[in-house]
Amino acid sequence: MNAPKEAEARPELTIKRVFDAPKELVFACWTQEEHMEKWFFPKDFEVPFAQSDVRPGGTYRTCLRAPDGSEHWVGGTYREVTPNDRIVFTHAWQDEAGHAEHETVVTITLKDLGDGKTQLTFHQAFFLSEASRNGHAEGWNEALDNLERHLSE
């Protein structure tokens, strides 16, 4: 008898951070453009274009310019927006015209820890490879470092 073939791994990413800020402010940083433009990108990147409609069914599209000048477009659709608690959106790298090949789902969950502290749980699934997941982990951690700096200003 042959053993059943194991299901192929579907890499996921989970990041947990605690911020010294109330969850209402952390939520605002994920949903209001005046906050997002100050932190929502990896280290040393610029954002020449960003547009978002943060509501269920709303979309977003952003161009990230790398230090070498290359441009990386990302976009998606908001699936769930629960004020101060949870945001769910799709995430797909796109060409300049907006065509995407693979889409992941990002879930942001906020928990009030008291004393003005908020735990953020970031989850993204599913990636096509571990290398893709690891690259996203690096970029998201750099962006969350930017968020921490922004919250302390």
Side-chain angles (χ1 to χ4, degrees):
M1 180 190 280
N2 292 334
K5 185 177 179 179
E6 289 186 33
E8 289 187 36
R10 296 183 66 192
E12 301 177 45
L13 172 63
T14 300
I15 302 169
K16 288 191 178 193
R17 294 280 189 104
V18 174
F19 295 102
D20 191 13
K23 72 178 190 170
E24 294 79 10
L25 178 55
V26 177
F27 182 84
C29 287
W30 282 88
T31 57
Q32 296 175 8
E33 287 186 16
E34 62 268 23
H35 287 292
M36 294 170 72
E37 67 188 19
K38 295 178 180 168
W39 75 268
F40 202 74
F41 45 87
K43 182 181 177 186
D44 299 327
F45 277 64
E46 296 176 359
V47 180
F49 175 85
Q51 185 176 43
S52 62
D53 179 11
V54 184
R55 63 177 175 80
T59 61
Y60 72 94
R61 189 149 193 258
T62 304
C63 178
L64 303 172
R65 185 173 294 137
D68 67 5
S70 61
E71 293 186 347
H72 308 273
W73 291 84
V74 64
T77 302
Y78 289 93
R79 292 185 172 178
E80 179 183 338
V81 180
T82 304
N84 305 320
D85 289 321
R86 183 174 156 101
I87 306 165
V88 180
F89 58 93
T90 61
H91 178 280
W93 293 106
Q94 304 174 342
D95 63 19
E96 196 169 335
H99 302 107
E101 289 186 17
H102 178 71
E103 182 176 81
T104 59
V105 176
V106 174
T107 302
I108 305 299
T109 307
L110 304 175
K111 179 180 178 184
D112 183 352
L113 298 178
D115 295 326
K117 295 189 183 305
T118 301
Q119 177 181 289
L120 179 144
T121 302
F122 174 99
H123 182 261
Q124 187 173 9
F126 292 99
F127 294 96
L128 295 176
S129 68
E130 288 185 18
S132 178
R133 183 219 29 227
N134 295 346
H136 281 81
E138 182 179 350
W140 282 116
N141 274 301
E142 289 176 359
L144 292 171
D145 290 346
N146 291 340
L147 175 57
E148 187 169 20
R149 281 189 288 280
H150 174 64
L151 288 167
S152 68
E153 294 175 347

